[in-house]
């Protein structure tokens, strides 16, 4: 720290320069961190699911959805479909609620086949995942939903009533972590057996042989390794035409299996699973890179403009015996210190505006929650690279001029000339 005393003195004497650079670089990095968090989370969606690369979704040209009974019939016809699951989100965002002691509390409900937890590889914070959804009147709550309904009391074993089923009581059989960055929508708060669909939309019920709703349920299959899901696509299409009114009336002309990972970024609609717009993801990625490059250019240009003010200090160090190499590394160290400070400021600002960013981007962000060893390593590498990009030009300028140039005043004139030529070149090449 003693060796940096002159640097801190320089920053203190040039308060406006320091403020503009710290604020400019910090705010720019804040946007970069928020965009990076959003892009990484969306590109890694579904990382919480076991063997996601082997899971496929029954799709047609319009929807990645069908009817529960379609999945049942296909599973009976094709042995490779033995491990299948069904999910229905029609009770989500529909005003559903739970009733406890005459107190109504909103609750986003997700209806699933009884093997849901095993199929997706989800564990429970409490409860037995093998038995949690076996009973038709069981319910698994997310951690936040359990806290919302029962406060700090243990929720497992408690009973409640659900808005669509006025007669039966439902028993809490398990608690699961909140869904976050999953193919399951983040807003899901409760998981119930598929039987509950009877009260939500009879057209999607597994007890309705007419299969009135052919787009309310997603059919997922985990195919064995080495099996080509679409090998029997033609036969499957012909089979669907024998009983599915959507194909009989030619509302749908295609039937195929889409990888679950692809469904998340597909233009084909899936109302039961989390989907993102790939174009939007790439637009934000490019925007983040451009913001970063502009921030670095702005920082470098201002540092170059201020080079002459530190020239006498560096000339004195050279005359007292410091080598050009030591001056170079000293300036890079100062750049690293400045960049680290701006990055820490950006991290704090990003966390502060995170709720607003979530509302604007219509997605969940979690700057602190996504911190891990890999993330910290990437941040460290980013700080090092940013320090080199921002500090190398001023370091080269100050370390390679002869001390006598500074004394004669030629250094300042040459520096300004180089800086002006660089600015003119940048303006000429800008659109």
């Amino acid at each position: 720290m003693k060796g940096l005393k002159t640097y801190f003195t320089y920053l203190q004497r040039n308060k406006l320069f320091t403020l503009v650079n710290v604020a400019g670089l910090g705010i720019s990095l804040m946007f970069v961190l928020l965009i990076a968090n959003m892009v990484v989370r969306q590109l890694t969606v579904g990382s919480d699911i076991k063997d996601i690369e082997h899971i496929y979704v029954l799709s047609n040209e319009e929807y990645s959805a069908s009817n529960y009974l379609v999945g049942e019939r296909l599973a009976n016809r094709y042995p490779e479909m033995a491990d299948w699951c069904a999910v229905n989100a029609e009770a989500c965002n529909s005003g559903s609620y739970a009733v406890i002691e005459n107190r109504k509390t909103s609750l986003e409900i997700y209806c699933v086949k009884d093997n849901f937890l095993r199929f997706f590889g989800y564990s429970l914070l409490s409860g037995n995942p093998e038995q949690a959804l076996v009973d038709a009147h069981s319910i698994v709550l997310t951690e936040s939903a359990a806290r919302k309904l029962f406060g700090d009391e243990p929720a497992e074993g408690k009973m409640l009533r659900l808005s669509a089923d006025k007669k039966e009581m439902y028993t809490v059989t398990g608690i699961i972590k909140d869904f976050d960055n999953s193919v399951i929508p983040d807003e899901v708060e409760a998981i119930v057996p598929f039987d509950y669909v009877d009260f939500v939309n009879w057209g999607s019920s597994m007890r309705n042989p007419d299969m009135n709703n052919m787009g309310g349920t997603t059919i997922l299959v985990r195919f064995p390794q080495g099996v080509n899901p679409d090998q029997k696509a033609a036969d499957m299409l012909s089979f669907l035409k024998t009983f599915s009114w959507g194909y009989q009336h030619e509302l749908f002309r295609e039937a195929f299996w889409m990888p679950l990972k692809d469904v998340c970024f597909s233009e084909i609609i899936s109302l039961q699973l989390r989907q993102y717009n790939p174009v939007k993801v790439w637009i934000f990625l490019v925007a983040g890179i451009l913001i970063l490059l502009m921030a670095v250019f702005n920082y470098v240009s201002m540092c170059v403009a201020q080079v002459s003010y530190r020239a006498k200090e560096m000339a004195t160090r050279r005359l007292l015996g410091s080598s050009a190499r030591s001056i170079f590394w000293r300036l890079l160290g100062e750049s690293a210190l400045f960049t680290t400070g701006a990055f820490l400021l950006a991290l704090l600002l990003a966390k502060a505006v995170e709720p607003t960013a979530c509302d604007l981007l219509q997605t969940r962000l979690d700057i602190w929650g996504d911190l891990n060893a890999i993330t910290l390593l990437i941040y460290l590498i980013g700080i090092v690279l940013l320090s080199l990009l921002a500090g190398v030009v001023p370091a080269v300028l100050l370390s390679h001029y002869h001390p006598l140039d500074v004394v004669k005043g030629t250094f300042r004139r040459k520096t300004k000339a180089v800086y002006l030529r660089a600015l003119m070149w940048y303006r000429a090449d800008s659109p």
Side-chain angles (χ1 to χ4, degrees):
M1 293 297 292
K2 186 178 179 181
L4 294 171
K5 184 178 179 181
T6 55
Y7 180 59
F8 288 123
T9 302
Y10 163 73
L11 293 178
Q12 188 176 10
R13 288 178 178 174
N14 296 271
K15 292 183 177 64
L16 183 59
F17 166 80
T18 304
L19 177 63
V20 170
N21 270 296
V22 171
L25 190 59
I27 293 173
S28 298
L29 289 176
M30 174 197 74
F31 284 109
V32 171
L33 287 173
L34 290 170
I35 292 172
N37 187 250
M38 185 198 76
V39 171
V40 170
R41 286 172 68 84
Q42 294 188 5
L43 293 179
T44 58
V45 65
S47 57
D48 60 327
I49 294 177
K50 179 183 69 175
D51 300 330
I52 190 172
E53 66 275 8
H54 297 307
I55 299 177
Y56 291 77
V57 176
L58 180 62
S59 306
N60 55 56
E61 65 271 29
E62 298 290 338
Y63 303 101
S64 287
S66 187
N67 185 282
Y68 185 98
L69 293 180
V70 171
E72 200 171 68
R73 294 195 185 189
L74 290 176
N76 291 333
R77 182 178 178 86
Y78 303 109
E80 60 270 30
M81 274 187 60
D83 190 12
W84 72 284
C85 189
V87 297
N88 182 295
E90 290 179 283
C92 264
N93 300 313
S94 63
S96 57
Y97 57 87
V99 181
I100 304 171
E101 298 177 352
N102 296 321
R103 174 173 53 89
K104 295 181 180 180
T105 307
S106 64
L107 194 66
E108 302 301 341
I109 302 171
Y110 205 57
C111 306
V112 302
K113 192 169 178 280
D114 59 6
N115 67 338
F116 172 83
L117 297 173
R118 179 196 60 77
F119 184 87
F120 285 101
Y122 288 129
S123 58
L124 295 178
L125 299 175
S126 68
N128 182 354
E130 295 295 330
Q131 300 295 321
L133 294 169
V134 172
D135 188 275
H137 301 110
S138 57
I139 182 170
V140 173
L141 298 175
T142 63
E143 198 172 8
S144 60
R147 195 179 305 113
K148 181 171 73 172
L149 293 173
F150 300 104
D152 295 330
E153 297 179 15
E156 189 178 355
K158 295 289 180 66
M159 301 188 74
L160 53 84
R161 200 180 298 278
L162 297 177
S163 54
D165 185 359
K166 306 294 184 182
K167 298 180 180 179
E168 299 293 337
M169 296 291 288
Y170 287 74
T171 303
V172 179
T173 53
I175 307 299
I176 192 172
K177 287 181 64 176
D178 292 2
F179 293 103
D180 182 25
N181 199 35
S182 175
V183 296
I184 309 301
D186 294 346
E187 59 267 23
V188 170
E189 296 178 300
I191 305 166
V192 296
F194 207 88
D195 305 71
Y196 189 72
V197 175
D198 294 2
F199 309 103
V200 179
N201 184 355
W202 176 247
S204 298
S205 171
M206 60 183 178
R207 296 179 178 84
N208 180 359
D210 294 329
M211 295 181 279
N212 305 98
N213 188 357
M214 290 297 296
T217 300
T218 293
I219 307 298
L220 306 103
V221 176
R222 178 181 282 104
F223 285 98
Q225 191 169 1
V227 172
N228 180 4
D230 287 322
Q231 187 174 4
K232 298 179 181 178
D235 181 75
M236 182 173 69
L237 181 60
S238 299
F239 179 57
L240 287 170
K241 289 179 179 179
T242 64
F243 67 90
S244 172
W245 60 268
Y247 288 93
Q248 290 172 343
H249 293 84
E250 296 187 344
L251 295 176
F252 309 128
R253 299 174 183 273
E254 299 177 24
F256 55 91
W257 295 100
M258 184 184 298
L260 177 56
K261 190 75 174 178
D262 292 351
V263 173
C264 299
F265 295 97
S266 175
E267 293 182 357
I268 296 176
I269 299 171
S270 175
L271 298 176
Q272 293 76 35
L273 302 173
R274 170 69 63 194
Q275 286 190 301
Y276 295 112
N277 185 337
V279 175
K280 183 179 176 181
V281 173
W282 285 109
I283 288 174
F284 275 105
L285 180 61
V286 172
I289 294 173
L290 289 176
I291 290 172
L292 180 61
L293 291 177
M294 287 189 291
V296 172
F297 178 81
N298 181 65
Y299 175 55
V300 171
S301 63
M302 291 193 70
C303 286
V304 171
Q306 290 283 322
V307 158
S308 59
Y309 292 101
R310 300 200 66 196
K312 290 184 179 180
E313 176 195 340
M314 297 307 161
T316 303
R317 291 183 181 278
R318 289 290 303 275
L319 292 172
L320 291 175
S322 295
S323 64
R325 178 177 294 182
S326 66
I327 296 293
F328 177 83
W329 287 110
R330 177 188 178 84
L331 291 168
L332 280 185
E334 293 175 358
S335 174
L337 180 64
F338 191 91
T339 303
T340 302
F343 181 84
L344 293 176
L345 174 63
L347 206 57
L348 294 174
L349 289 173
K351 185 60 183 176
V353 304
E354 187 178 87
T356 304
C358 290
D359 292 338
L360 290 174
L361 298 173
Q362 292 297 298
T363 189
R364 181 179 291 184
L365 303 174
D366 194 355
I367 298 293
W368 286 156
D370 291 338
L371 282 178
N372 53 47
I374 296 176
T375 308
L376 290 174
L377 179 61
I378 292 173
Y379 284 168
L380 181 61
I381 293 173
I383 290 172
V384 171
L385 292 176
L386 193 57
S387 300
L388 289 173
L389 283 172
V392 70
V393 175
V396 168
L397 287 173
L398 280 170
S399 63
H400 283 71
Y401 273 104
H402 196 277
L404 290 178
D405 289 332
V406 177
V407 176
K408 294 177 181 178
T410 57
F411 172 80
R412 187 166 186 174
R413 291 193 298 273
K414 290 178 181 179
T415 303
K416 284 187 174 181
V418 170
Y419 178 60
L420 288 172
R421 281 199 296 270
L423 269 182
M424 289 176 66
W425 171 84
Y426 172 75
R427 287 178 176 274
D429 281 14
S430 297

